[in-house]
């Protein structure tokens, strides 16, 4: 099978790495990719938001499967264009991707499907937002209704900051605050059958101790030793399957990756948000533990045969990923700085630790930063403690001027806490 992956981040590098290890994949392409992905896939320039251009590239390459990584192309209908060209595509239609593209739409689907989530108000004026904020009280949760690359949510005790975020958005969803630890659970679906993956936890705040501004994610780990053994089955029954069934009932079946962001509250599991694609950085640790070859699973979702698939096989090992971010991230990041130490990680730490590129590009013989989140340093081990040690040993070999990373990824979980 020839596979084309669309995207340029660490999520796409993780997907390409897993696909490159699949013996059924005879050729692997990525568009536009990055400096790290170039080591495992042939790169091609493309406007990832241009469905016709992506479909034309897939036809030119003779791709038997297209995997659309980021949310913006999915919401723009790129998967539709690929399917219209007669090529199997892993990723929901533009209509189905509204589960991520509009928080208000997702709330409507959850209400119809009986999915447990936070009480909320959809607000289009500052006055409506102020009323909703007063109704719920602190901590205040304000979400941009549209796509915001994981940074459209403000959770704060500062009422003025909450109002300011609401005023900066055309439409917002104001929610009650959900207590308890958060869990990311991915599920692969063909629109009927739902196949949950292993849960992970990510770290949204920029600084240690969950301080600082929200980011796209500064690290993640899997498995969750503190989670109830029945958690995945419960979420499948109460969240994932009902949502997929409701989308099909509406005539907009959801085929691809359904990502449920969950809070394990004192009142039970509640959905924080849905995403319509693999999450970043959780994909890095989930795929590090998946033993079943990836391409066949994604193709089964694309062609509607997930029910025929054998159960997924998983490694008992733990996985940890640590994000190395550029100077000033999540503000306007500084780019163009050289990255050194990547060869040392490959020589000293492989195969237990490896570097997945997010915001990088080639500049002559050098690899330089090209975004806010630059690298995801990923490691596996017999338990979280060993995986953490290996990940941070590898991080210490890498130099990027002005870079920062959290030093507490999976620290509590490794010591038995939530």
């Amino acid at each position: 099978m020839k596979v084309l992956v669309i995207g340029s981040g660490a999520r796409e590098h993780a997907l390409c790495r897993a696909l490159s290890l699949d013996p059924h994949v005879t050729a692997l392409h990525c568009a536009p990719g990055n400096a790290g992905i170039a080591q495992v896939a042939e790169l091609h320039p493309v406007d990832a938001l241009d469905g016709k251009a992506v479909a034309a590239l897939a036809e030119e390459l003779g791709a038997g499967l297209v995997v659309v990584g980021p949310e913006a192309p999915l919401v723009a209908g790129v998967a539709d264009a690929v399917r219209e060209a007669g090529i199997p595509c892993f990723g929901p239609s533009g209509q189905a991707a509204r589960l991520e593209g509009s928080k208000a739409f997702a709330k409507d689907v959850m209400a119809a499907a009986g999915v447990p989530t936070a009480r909320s108000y959809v607000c289009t004026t500052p006055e409506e937002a102020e009323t909703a904020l007063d109704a719920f009280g602190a901590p205040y949760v304000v979400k941009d209704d549209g796509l915001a690359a994981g940074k459209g949510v403000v959770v704060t005790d500062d009422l003025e900051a909450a109002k300011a975020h609401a005023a900066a958005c055309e439409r917002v969803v104001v929610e009650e605050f959900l207590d308890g630890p958060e869990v990311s659970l991915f599920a692969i679906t063909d629109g009927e059958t739902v196949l949950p993956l292993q849960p992970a936890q990510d770290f949204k705040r920029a600084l240690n101790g969950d301080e600082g501004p929200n980011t796209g994610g500064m690290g993640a780990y899997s498995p969750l030793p503190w989670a109830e053994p029945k958690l995945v089955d419960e979420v499948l029954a109460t969240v994932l399957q009902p949502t997929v069934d409701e989308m099909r009932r509406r005539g907009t079946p959801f085929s691809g990756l359904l990502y449920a962001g969950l809070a394990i509250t004192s009142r039970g599991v509640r959905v924080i948000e849905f995403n319509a694609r693999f999450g970043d950085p959780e994909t890095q640790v989930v795929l590090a533990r998946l033993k079943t070859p990836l391409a066949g699973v994604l193709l089964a979702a694309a062609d509607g045969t997930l029910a025929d698939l054998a159960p997924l096989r998983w490694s008992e090992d733990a996985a940890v990923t640590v994000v190395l971010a550029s100077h000033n991230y999540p503000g306007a990041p500084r780019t163009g700085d050289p990255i050194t130490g990547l060869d040392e990680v490959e020589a000293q730490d492989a195969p237990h630790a490896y570097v997945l590129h997010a915001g990088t590009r080639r500049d002559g013989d050098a690899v330089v930063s090209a975004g806010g989140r630059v690298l995801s340093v990923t490691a596996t081990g017999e338990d979280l403690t060993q995986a953490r040690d290996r990940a941070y040993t590898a991080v210490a070999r890498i130099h990027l001027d002005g870079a920062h990373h959290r030093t507490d990824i999976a620290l509590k979980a490794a010591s038995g806490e939530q």
Side-chain angles (χ1 to χ4, degrees):
M1 192 193 328
K2 295 180 180 178
V3 182
L4 169 62
V5 176
I6 303 300
S8 60
R11 161 188 48 227
E12 287 75 36
H13 194 176
L15 287 163
C16 285
R17 181 181 183 273
L19 289 164
S20 73
L21 298 173
D22 187 332
H24 296 103
V25 175
T26 53
L28 183 58
H29 303 271
C30 186
N34 62 38
I37 295 174
Q39 297 174 329
V40 294
E42 184 179 342
L43 302 190
H44 305 270
V46 78
D47 178 353
L49 296 175
D50 185 337
K52 288 184 177 178
V54 171
L57 175 62
E59 286 185 297
E60 179 188 329
L61 296 173
L65 175 66
V66 175
V67 180
V68 182
E71 59 272 28
L74 291 168
V75 172
V78 168
D80 301 270
V82 172
R83 278 191 278 267
E84 285 166 14
I87 301 167
C89 185
F90 182 81
S93 67
Q95 283 291 313
R98 289 182 67 208
L99 269 181
E100 177 166 6
S102 169
K103 303 287 191 301
F105 174 76
K107 287 289 187 183
D108 184 61
V109 170
M110 283 187 268
V115 169
T117 187
R119 292 179 297 125
S120 63
Y121 296 102
V122 179
C123 307
T124 55
T125 67
E127 292 77 20
E128 288 177 352
E130 189 167 341
T131 299
L133 291 166
D134 287 344
F136 287 132
Y140 304 104
V141 181
V142 185
K143 299 181 176 182
D144 189 338
D145 180 54
L147 293 180
K151 290 174 282 188
V153 179
V154 166
V155 181
T156 180
D157 289 319
D158 184 337
L159 179 58
E160 294 309 312
K163 289 179 183 176
H165 184 62
C169 306
E170 283 187 28
R171 184 158 87 147
V172 295
V173 174
V174 176
E175 291 187 353
E176 67 173 329
F177 176 75
L178 295 175
D179 63 340
E182 294 185 11
V183 173
S184 299
L185 186 61
F186 302 162
I188 291 172
T189 178
D190 57 9
E192 292 194 26
T193 301
V194 181
L195 192 65
L197 305 186
Q198 290 289 305
Q201 186 176 65
D202 78 331
F203 294 75
K204 289 293 187 193
R205 300 285 187 169
L207 307 176
N208 283 356
D210 293 327
E211 298 289 333
N214 255 358
T215 71
M218 295 299 291
Y221 70 92
S222 179
L224 313 182
W226 49 267
E228 290 280 345
K230 67 180 191 317
L231 175 64
V232 173
D233 289 340
E234 179 187 343
V235 175
L236 175 62
T238 63
V239 174
L240 299 169
Q241 192 70 57
T243 300
V244 169
D245 292 345
E246 172 62 16
M247 291 296 287
R248 189 174 67 254
R249 188 192 67 77
R250 290 173 177 231
T252 52
F254 188 103
S255 167
L257 194 291
L258 180 59
Y259 165 138
L262 309 164
I264 313 301
T265 77
S266 54
R267 294 171 293 147
V269 174
R270 296 288 185 273
V271 175
I272 300 169
E273 64 175 353
F274 283 130
N275 290 334
R277 38 72 194 182
F278 279 101
D280 184 342
E282 299 99 319
T283 302
Q284 288 86 302
V285 292
V286 172
L287 292 186
R289 300 184 56 227
L290 180 64
K291 295 175 74 173
T292 301
L294 181 62
V297 182
L298 302 186
L299 183 61
D303 66 16
T305 59
L306 264 184
D308 302 330
L309 208 64
L312 297 179
R313 293 181 295 110
W314 295 94
S315 167
E316 293 296 316
D317 284 355
V320 171
T321 194
V322 179
V323 170
L324 198 67
S326 57
H327 175 74
N328 199 44
Y329 178 79
R334 191 174 78 203
T335 60
D337 290 315
I339 304 165
T340 59
L342 299 175
D343 292 341
E344 284 86 343
V345 174
E346 175 68 28
Q348 303 281 341
D349 303 304
H352 299 299
Y354 48 89
V355 180
L356 298 169
H357 291 229
T360 69
R361 62 177 175 83
R362 278 272 170 198
D363 184 4
D365 291 335
V367 174
V368 301
S369 60
R373 292 186 294 174
V374 181
L375 304 170
S376 284
V377 181
T378 306
T380 56
E382 291 183 6
D383 54 27
L384 286 173
T385 298
Q386 187 178 52
R388 285 189 82 252
D389 289 347
R390 287 171 169 172
Y392 282 109
T393 296
V395 167
R397 302 189 200 279
I398 299 168
H399 178 74
L400 170 63
D401 188 48
H404 63 98
H405 66 275
R406 285 183 57 160
T407 60
D408 62 347
I409 303 300
L411 180 61
K412 286 184 177 180
S415 59
E417 299 177 52
Q418 288 182 347

